[in-house]
Amino acid sequence: MDAIRVRGSQKPLTGSVRISGAKNAALPILCATLLSDGASRLRNVPKLRDIETTAALLRFLGRDVKVDAPEVHVAAGADVRPEAPYELVKQMRASVLVLGPLVARFGRAKVSLPGGCAIGARPIDQHLKGLEAMGCTIKIERGYVIAEGPGGGGRLRGSEVYFDLPTVTGTENLMMAAALAKGRTTLVNCAREPEVEELGRILNKMGCEVSGAGTDVIHVTGSERGALEPFDHAIIPDRIEAGTYLVAACVNDGSDVVLQGVELGDLEALVLKMRAAGIKIEAEGQNVRVRRDGPLRPANVTTAPHPGFPTDMQAQFLMLMCLAKGESVISETIFENRFMHVPELQRMGASIVVRGNTAVVQGVPKLYGAQVMATDLRASASLVLAGLVAEDETEVRRVYHLDRGYEHMEEKLRGLGADIERVKGAFD
Ligand code: EPU
């Protein structure tokens, strides 16, 4: 397995970096192609392992998929096999996003339960409850969810669903299921993430009626035509990749970086917290200039569903607060096990105490390079960012986590002047 080697320096980062398309928008949109028969084209798709995994899953299901980054073309194949096997689902939890479209389109689906993952248990009860409300029969057999439309494979019925908590992929799965259901579906207490809004735009392009995507109540009127239209669409920029580079640009004092292709409005909570920490962030159209010229102030954050502070930025922001002058309190409310970067950052000299879902961070004058282990996607990013400022060399192992969600991270950081390289080889 590869590792990433970073030699930290006090040298500021400068220059500009282009932000890629949003992974978490591309994944549900690729799954939405199951609702149509024609040839769809998705543009601005990031070159990532999760995209390859989704392509492999769609191929397994019988679709004809060509990945030619930054474009992906999907067309209907000869036959559909509405079954997502464990081998593919275990590589990527978002594979569960095929459940809604498969059962809506083909009347049945067999999808492996994703199981737990490094950051938490992550159940899918809300997805299943919603499908049942739409007339599905759900059985769990030998680790698989087996869903069948009403009367043994019939068309789903529009319904009213209240989510007990806002879930991003749960909201997306039920929007796609409702897209071919008979009548109108109302989803209440929905996730409001920009990626959910983007899926709403796609479903409208595909010919069903969606309103309210991006708010907590979404209405979907299913198409009467049995299948939706294909589409051609360029996906929105990745707000979490953008947020990660916002933080990267602040680890070294004196940095001055322009991020190209950013929707700053999707990052308000992070931007406000970073400004409170003393960072200068200015929008210039779809470019964002970020500068640090002085010490960092501490800041407290509590993660929350959008528009709250994103859990996917917690590890990177916590790392930044390791360098602030004073104490910051970081609370994680979305996933129960999302502080795995903490022991690794401690090995680099960070001063952090975790109690339950709260980390108390005392800023230190300096971090020190070390060999560290990536544990999940965003934790990996925080370790790379720590390496940018740490004295001497940091080696981040298990970077396959990083490759799931960051396109060419080492090349992008090198473009800003960082001393970073990928080391191919047999690291465990
Ligand atoms: N939850 C339930 N029951 C459900 C569904 C969710 O209890 O049926 C709980 C989860 O366990 C969690 C909370 O609800 O405590 C929110 O989870 P959510 O379902 O919103 O997460 P997700 O849809 O599985 C997406 C992103 C994650 C991101 C979270 C939160 C995709 C493909 N994944 O996951 O992204 O952290 O929303 O914003 O959109 C990442 O990109 O690194 C990543 C993990």
Side-chain angles (χ1 to χ4, degrees):
M1 275 176 235
D2 297 354
I4 283 187
R5 212 169 268 162
V6 200
R7 274 168 289 271
S9 72
Q10 298 305 314
K11 206 177 98 201
L13 295 188
T14 53
S16 63
V17 60
R18 176 153 289 284
I19 299 306
S20 302
K23 164 180 88 79
N24 288 348
L27 301 180
I29 293 173
L30 284 168
C31 296
T33 62
L34 290 165
L35 297 165
S36 80
D37 276 334
S40 291
R41 178 166 74 146
L42 192 51
R43 289 172 283 125
N44 199 30
V45 181
K47 195 172 163 53
L48 299 173
R49 204 159 61 92
D50 276 7
I51 299 294
E52 291 293 344
T53 307
T54 309
L57 176 58
L58 292 176
R59 283 187 201 111
F60 182 91
L61 295 169
R63 298 270 130 168
D64 192 358
V65 187
K66 194 167 132 233
V67 180
D68 188 9
E71 290 194 1
V72 179
H73 298 254
V74 186
D79 279 317
V80 167
R81 171 168 40 166
E83 182 178 329
Y86 179 60
E87 281 313 311
L88 287 167
V89 177
K90 76 169 190 213
Q91 291 178 37
M92 189 191 67
R93 293 184 50 85
S95 308
V96 75
L97 282 167
V98 298
L99 181 60
L102 282 179
V103 75
R105 181 70 206 289
F106 305 105
R108 50 180 46 86
K110 182 174 173 188
V111 175
S112 173
L113 276 168
C117 85
I119 60 178
R122 303 181 75 180
I124 57 163
D125 56 301
Q126 301 297 310
H127 306 226
L128 302 184
K129 181 184 87 169
L131 290 175
E132 278 176 336
M134 296 170 82
C136 265
T137 308
I138 307 268
K139 285 187 289 189
I140 309 287
E141 274 177 16
R142 297 173 54 82
Y144 279 78
V145 178
I146 299 172
E148 214 172 60
R155 187 176 176 198
L156 299 182
R157 296 187 293 265
S159 181
E160 289 176 353
V161 178
Y162 174 80
F163 291 105
D164 294 329
L165 77 184
T167 150
V168 175
T169 49
T171 304
E172 293 166 345
N173 234 339
L174 293 193
M175 286 166 75
M176 291 188 278
L180 288 177
K182 187 171 174 49
R184 182 168 143 119
T185 296
T186 300
L187 305 173
V188 180
N189 198 24
C190 295
R192 290 177 284 169
E193 270 68 0
E195 295 77 19
V196 174
E197 198 176 340
E198 177 79 333
L199 179 64
R201 273 191 282 275
I202 287 289
L203 292 175
N204 278 322
K205 270 193 178 180
M206 294 176 84
C208 82
E209 266 174 57
V210 179
S211 62
T215 75
D216 53 1
V217 179
I218 300 177
H219 299 286
V220 182
T221 305
S223 167
E224 285 301 319
R225 300 174 62 171
L228 298 182
E229 301 295 323
F231 59 86
D232 182 343
H233 186 78
I235 59 165
I236 51 171
D238 195 311
R239 66 194 166 98
I240 304 300
E241 191 200 24
T244 303
Y245 285 100
L246 276 183
V247 173
C250 308
V251 293
N252 284 310
D253 201 3
S255 292
D256 188 347
V257 168
V258 173
L259 311 185
Q260 298 170 336
V262 180
E263 211 46 76
L264 205 58
D266 290 343
L267 276 166
E268 261 172 0
L270 174 69
V271 167
L272 294 178
K273 284 294 174 184
M274 289 190 62
R275 285 190 179 135
I279 306 300
K280 297 193 172 59
I281 300 173
E282 298 149 51
E284 297 164 0
Q286 274 219 325
N287 287 354
V288 173
R289 183 172 177 199
V290 48
R291 279 175 296 155
R292 173 175 164 199
D293 55 6
L296 291 168
R297 290 192 289 271
N300 301 338
V301 305
T302 299
T303 62
H306 192 76
F309 191 95
T311 173
D312 288 343
M313 282 305 306
Q314 179 261 104
Q316 303 90 314
F317 192 80
L318 182 150
M319 180 270 131
L320 190 65
M321 290 301 96
C322 292
L323 304 167
K325 272 188 179 294
E327 182 180 285
S328 307
V329 179
I330 315 282
S331 298
E332 170 59 58
T333 69
I334 306 292
F335 293 114
E336 64 271 25
N337 193 23
R338 216 173 191 184
F339 281 133
M340 283 174 305
H341 39 291
V342 166
E344 304 299 310
L345 290 170
Q346 283 166 336
R347 298 188 61 243
M348 298 178 74
S351 170
I352 308 163
V353 176
V354 176
R355 282 206 192 86
N357 72 343
T358 298
V360 179
V361 183
Q362 295 290 344
V364 290
K366 214 176 228 186
L367 295 175
Y368 299 91
Q371 288 176 328
V372 288
M373 198 76 95
T375 46
D376 74 71
L377 172 54
R378 309 304 171 186
S380 321
S382 76
L383 298 176
V384 173
L385 302 191
L388 292 174
V389 67
E391 197 168 285
D392 296 330
E393 188 173 281
T394 297
E395 190 177 276
V396 183
R397 295 190 176 187
R398 299 201 178 163
V399 291
Y400 58 88
H401 292 291
L402 203 70
D403 295 336
R404 288 190 42 212
Y406 289 95
E407 183 174 46
H408 305 313
M409 192 182 205
E410 67 277 16
E411 281 170 35
K412 288 188 179 186
L413 286 171
R414 214 164 31 238
L416 297 175
D419 185 352
I420 178 169
E421 64 189 336
R422 178 177 290 256
V423 189
K424 300 257 177 208
F427 300 95
D428 72 350

